[in-house]
Amino acid sequence: SSNATSFVSCVLQNFLKYDIKESASQTRDVLRQHFNDLKGTLRKLLDERLVSLLQEVDIIEQETIKPLDDCQKLIEHGVNTAEDLVREGEIAILGGVGEKNEKLWSFTKKASHIQLDSLPEVPLLVDVPCLSAQLDDSILTIVKDQIFNHGTVASRPPVQIEELIEKPGGIIVRWCKVDDDFTAQDYRLQFRKSTSNHFEDVYVGSETEFIVLHIDPNVDYQFRVCARGDGRQEWSPWSVPQMGHSTLVPHEWTAGFEGYSLSSRRNIALRNDSQATGVLYSSAPTYFCGQTLTFRVETVGQPDRRDSIGVCVEKQNGYDSLQRDQAVCIGTNGAVFVNGKEMTNQLPAVTSGSTVTFDMEAVTLVTTNNNDTGNFKLRVTISSNNREVVFDWLLDQSYVSLYFGCSFFYPGWKVLVF
């Protein structure tokens, strides 16, 4: 016995050492990757800022030199014109008398039309830009302080996954705080298939419980959760990933019913505009006693007293509601029906976001004097909006599994089952 205890203790220690080494290795990888990404981003941002400032220098240089270039061109043009006129005057003086008079007359006429004393305005020295760069070295101190305080290493996360509960087509994940000094503002839940390398967000909020739907049966999934402290932006370290799966077959509505449109996984039914009426049943009797069957009303339409959501022994066509024999249900007005009879106890009316749950357990087998089989009794609990009703449902025989169904007379009602 002592040897067995020592062996178990040794195995446990080795497992814990492996877990510590594995988490430390993953933490190193995360830190290296984060700071490499940060360096790349900072280098890119600095390069972009440098290019932007150099472009500003180019623009100012071009805009301020252009008027001076134009002024220089005007002065050079005036000087060239004056030199040409002087040469023309010298030639006129050196010519013959008749030719001289004609050339002097031409020279005089041309000189009268040229303003040799007109110069373009030259800007004052104080008005000429002198480029410089203003660089505040205090940014280095600011960045240095931010970098030195960036990131933390925690020996244990402030929240951990507490429980995984399998549901048909889903898994309920519950978590709790393990650090009493940590005040959580929000939680963030992620999951992935065990064969995937990528976690994806599935819930962000203040609750400590969430049902993850779209779970394939008999497939392993990993779950992890973290938290954000009150008044903070960054998330805490992730909890230790927990593995979970569901062996329960997903609940599905029957496809092809004219009055309802179904989601791709057939777990959501929407009452459409069709004039067809009747009860939409489950595709198979997938509800078993001891389980919790949950309906969540996503959207509501116009209510009708014949509306129903509930459970029945078998599919019976020709009825427009589950308010019949061999069925228990709740109406959208909150009325509860057992084998077609309305109970005196009533639940709140169903509204958008309402969750209605059915829990059943076998109580006793009531025998009669006429036969040995007797009647089968189920204790049924229907809950809605923090209220519940409990009653016994008598059946003519024992049933291993049951169907579920719904009926709505006006469009707009959408119901998710899980």
Side-chain angles (χ1 to χ4, degrees):
S1 175
S2 61
N3 290 336
T5 302
S6 298
F7 175 76
V8 171
S9 176
C10 182
V11 171
L12 180 59
Q13 286 181 2
N14 288 332
F15 175 77
L16 294 175
K17 286 169 62 178
Y18 172 80
D19 188 54
I20 294 171
K21 288 180 176 293
E22 182 68 17
S23 63
S25 176
Q26 291 178 357
T27 301
R28 292 188 191 98
D29 292 340
V30 168
L31 288 171
R32 290 190 184 100
Q33 184 64 47
H34 175 78
F35 277 86
N36 282 334
D37 293 343
L38 196 60
K39 284 190 288 187
T41 302
L42 288 174
R43 186 181 298 110
K44 181 182 177 182
L45 292 174
L46 288 172
D47 289 343
E48 290 177 352
R49 182 56 180 162
L50 175 59
V51 169
S52 176
L53 291 173
L54 291 175
Q55 288 176 346
E56 286 188 38
V57 173
D58 293 340
I59 292 172
I60 295 174
E61 181 184 27
Q62 293 170 6
E63 290 180 347
T64 54
I65 283 181
K66 186 177 183 303
L68 296 176
D69 287 341
D70 294 341
C71 180
Q72 183 177 353
K73 290 177 181 179
L74 287 174
I75 293 174
E76 290 175 351
H77 177 70
V79 171
N80 292 333
T81 302
E83 289 177 349
D84 292 342
L85 190 61
V86 169
R87 282 194 297 269
E88 187 175 341
E90 291 175 347
I91 294 172
I93 293 173
L94 296 175
V97 177
E99 184 183 0
K100 182 187 296 186
N101 290 335
E102 183 179 349
K103 289 184 177 181
L104 286 174
W105 181 82
S106 175
F107 169 79
T108 304
K109 182 179 179 182
K110 186 179 293 185
S112 65
H113 287 85
I114 297 176
Q115 297 179 350
L116 297 176
D117 59 347
S118 176
L119 291 174
E121 183 180 359
V122 179
L124 297 175
L125 185 60
V126 294
D127 295 330
V128 178
C130 179
L131 278 71
S132 63
Q134 288 75 49
L135 301 172
D136 188 358
D137 291 338
S138 65
I139 188 174
L140 297 177
T141 303
I142 297 172
V143 172
K144 181 179 177 181
D145 291 341
Q146 291 291 329
I147 291 176
F148 281 176
N149 292 295
H150 180 66
T152 57
V153 175
S155 60
R156 57 177 57 86
V159 290
Q160 292 285 7
I161 291 177
E162 186 178 28
E163 189 176 18
L164 297 174
I165 304 172
E166 61 177 332
K167 295 279 289 182
I171 295 177
I172 295 177
V173 184
R174 291 176 180 162
W175 56 89
C176 63
K177 281 199 318 168
V178 293
D179 184 352
D180 294 335
D181 296 329
F182 184 85
T183 302
Q185 175 180 305
D186 292 306
Y187 298 98
R188 181 182 178 189
L189 176 66
Q190 291 188 336
F191 85 121
R192 70 177 180 185
K193 282 187 177 181
S194 57
T195 55
S196 173
N197 294 323
H198 176 67
F199 278 96
E200 60 180 280
D201 286 340
V202 69
Y203 172 76
V204 175
S206 59
E207 300 296 327
T208 56
E209 176 183 312
F210 185 76
I211 178 167
V212 182
L213 298 174
H214 310 315
I215 294 294
D216 296 324
N218 301 310
V219 174
D220 287 333
Y221 290 83
Q222 275 191 325
F223 301 88
R224 66 181 186 182
V225 66
C226 65
R228 181 161 50 195
D230 190 20
R232 303 184 69 88
Q233 294 298 320
E234 71 276 7
W235 292 99
S236 73
W238 291 105
S239 65
V240 177
Q242 298 289 332
M243 191 79 74
H245 68 276
S246 176
T247 60
L248 305 177
V249 177
H251 292 317
E252 294 181 357
W253 299 103
T254 300
F257 194 83
E258 185 179 353
Y260 294 85
S261 304
L262 306 185
S263 62
S264 59
R265 287 182 174 259
R266 297 192 289 276
N267 59 345
I268 300 177
L270 170 65
R271 181 66 168 94
N272 55 36
D273 295 332
S274 172
Q275 298 298 315
T277 59
V279 178
L280 175 66
Y281 292 101
S282 57
S283 60
T286 53
Y287 175 63
F288 295 84
C289 291
Q291 297 179 358
T292 298
L293 178 67
T294 304
F295 300 92
R296 190 169 70 209
V297 180
E298 306 289 328
T299 61
V300 299
Q302 180 180 337
D304 186 276
R305 61 178 180 80
R306 296 166 292 180
D307 294 340
S308 61
I309 303 172
V311 178
C312 58
V313 169
E314 59 185 2
K315 296 181 180 180
Q316 291 186 14
N317 297 323
Y319 289 90
D320 59 6
S321 175
L322 283 174
Q323 299 171 17
R324 60 167 176 80
D325 190 33
Q326 301 289 287
V328 293
C329 66
I330 177 177
T332 53
N333 61 354
V336 177
F337 294 85
V338 182
N339 289 333
K341 296 180 180 179
E342 184 175 356
M343 297 183 61
T344 55
N345 293 336
Q346 185 166 324
L347 293 169
V350 174
T351 58
S352 180
S354 290
T355 298
V356 180
T357 62
F358 287 76
D359 290 277
M360 300 186 189
E361 60 176 340
V363 182
T364 55
L365 189 66
V366 181
T367 59
T368 64
N369 296 328
N370 299 328
N371 54 63
D372 295 329
T373 58
N375 295 326
F376 188 66
K377 182 189 293 186
L378 291 177
R379 179 142 305 157
V380 181
T381 303
I382 305 178
S383 303
S384 177
N385 293 336
N386 297 320
R387 287 182 57 186
E388 65 179 32
V389 293
V390 182
F391 55 89
D392 289 338
W393 183 21
L394 293 177
L395 298 173
D396 55 359
Q397 66 182 64
S398 171
Y399 290 92
V400 176
S401 58
L402 300 168
Y403 289 88
F404 57 85
C406 69
S407 64
F408 301 101
F409 281 80
Y410 295 100
W413 293 91
K414 182 190 288 187
V415 179
L416 165 68
V417 60
F418 58 88

